[in-house]
Amino acid sequence: LAADAEQTDWSALVFRVRDHQDRTAFAALFRHFAPRVKAFLMKSGASEALAEECAQDVMATLWQKAKLFDAERASVATWVFTIARNRRIDALRKSRRPEPEDLPWGPEPEPDQAEVFEAQQETERLGAALSQLPLKQRALIERAYFGDLSHSEIAAETGLPLGTIKSRIRLALDRLRQQMDVKATER
Amino acid sequence: MTIKHHLSDELLMAYAAADLPEAFNLVIAAHLSLCDECRARSMAFDALGGAVIEDSTCEMDEGSLAACLARIDGLAQVETAAPRRADAVLPAPLLDYVGGGLDRVKWRAVGMGVRQAILPTGDKGASARLLYIPGGAAMPDHGHRGLELTLVLQGAFRDEADRFGRGDIEIADASVEHTPVAEAGMDCICLAATQGSLKFNALLPRLAQPFFRI
Ligand SMILES: [Zn+2]
Ligand SMILES: [Zn+2]
């Protein structure tokens, strides 16, 4: 089953939702992600009914915002997480969380396939690393994301391969900034 | 711009988890707007959130998918994100709080040439303010009851620890008692978020402070 999930190209499904309003692709995304969002919200303290409602909201938002999804910089799971996080803030009356300034470039119409693949691979590698952590450390990280910890309790030294993701994103940002500079000087 | 002082992993992770008071979220969002290094780290912590969400699942209600499919029927898709403005000093997230550019900030004097503007954040536990320190002037000597994040937006200041220029963030806790001094020349503008209250030592005798709740 796990092998199956690894082989599903979630971003291709989002592109089908984006380009063709493909309901079959949406249904496949729903079957995988909606129950995970619901579980996430319940672990964050939402009742089952509220979590169910919010999970449906999150999936409807995925439909609405499919054109804003940037597959080069985030996997679908990561993108779904950010939508669920915002929905949770409203639902559980958590502190407002301003977003950083938008990067001056949106998602590219034809994302680089290798970059898209890398983003998804990294989430999977990160997931594998997370599941191999000692139980206590893993529970600590999960509780942090469920909104259950004060920042002072969170251990920074987790041994997770965050550095590689960071360097890849950093490289992508540098490259994009260079391109923007070139474009700006050409004008 | 070379930023030397960055956010810690703890703060970036708590921001990813939406687990901080609004005032801290605001300072972090403002720093990320100026700093690609921390933006990349922040996106890595979002990816960790993605891995956490992948990790556990449960049953949806019966008819859940059908209900959602009915809901998206004819639901319009957003074409592009609404652009947000920034000005030369204030990054976009701050503009939303000030209600416009730097000229809209409602400054109030706090003594010795220093001015501040408290920003409207919702939490009781932490507060956010813009500080205006004339070039060469000192922030009133102060300590904190908890975490304090200070982000430089214009000019630079020095304190006992180091020099902080535009984009730099100073992370101080209750153990730090410092006197930031603005560098001569350009006036210094900072965004500061403080947990608990600021203790301005020079303004009031220490004993009286708890009653005045500065
Ligand atoms: Zn930084
Ligand atoms: Zn201080």
Side-chain angles (χ1 to χ4, degrees), chain A residues 10 17-18 21 23 26-27 30-40 42-43 48 52-53 55-57 59-60 63-68 73 77-78 80-82 84-85 88-89 94-103 123 126-127 130-131 138 141-142 144-151 154-156 160 162 165-166 169-170 173-174 177, chain B residues 9-26 28-30 32-34 36-37 39-61 63-65 67-86 90-93 96-97 120 123 147 195:
Chain A
W10 300 115
V17 167
R18 177 191 71 187
Q21 290 74 48
R23 295 162 67 86
F26 179 79
F30 187 98
R31 279 189 210 98
H32 182 77
F33 287 107
R36 285 173 169 76
V37 172
K38 182 175 174 180
F40 172 71
M42 282 166 66
K43 289 189 171 175
E48 212 217 311
E52 166 78 30
E53 184 195 321
Q56 289 195 29
D57 291 346
M59 295 312 292
W63 172 275
Q64 271 184 303
K65 296 196 170 170
K67 288 178 184 169
L68 308 185
R73 260 165 277 162
T78 299
V80 166
F81 162 71
T82 61
R85 172 178 68 199
R88 186 183 72 185
I89 290 169
K94 294 249 181 185
S95 299
R96 273 183 65 195
R97 182 185 174 284
E99 298 272 345
E101 210 160 293
D102 309 309
L103 295 166
T123 302
L126 195 52
L130 187 63
S131 66
R138 179 176 168 185
I141 288 172
E142 293 190 332
Y145 279 88
F146 301 145
D148 203 20
L149 282 181
S150 76
H151 70 269
I154 298 169
L160 288 170
L162 284 171
I165 300 189
K166 192 217 90 179
I169 294 171
R170 186 62 223 259
L173 292 179
D174 286 348
R177 283 227 191 271
Chain B
D9 280 344
E10 289 93 331
L11 284 166
L12 285 171
M13 187 166 168
Y15 178 72
D19 206 11
L20 287 171
E22 184 178 350
F24 291 125
N25 287 334
L26 177 59
I28 291 169
L32 296 182
S33 302
L34 301 174
D36 281 356
E37 176 65 24
R39 190 191 284 263
R41 287 165 66 211
S42 161
M43 288 165 82
F45 281 108
D46 284 349
L48 183 52
V52 166
I53 234 173
E54 276 286 0
D55 212 31
S56 51
T57 182
C58 65
E59 291 291 317
M60 294 301 284
D61 288 358
S64 186
L65 172 59
C68 203
L69 281 170
R71 194 164 147 194
I72 60 164
D73 203 12
L75 187 68
Q77 290 183 331
V78 179
E79 289 299 320
T80 48
R84 293 158 82 206
R85 281 174 346 101
L90 305 183
D96 300 340
Y97 279 78
D123 302 295
L147 182 67
Q195 193 180 29

Side-chain angles (χ1 to χ4, degrees), chain A residues 127-140:
Chain A
L130 187 63
S131 66
Q132 278 157 24
L133 280 183
L135 216 57
K136 261 190 172 168
Q137 215 171 47
R138 179 176 168 185
L140 194 71

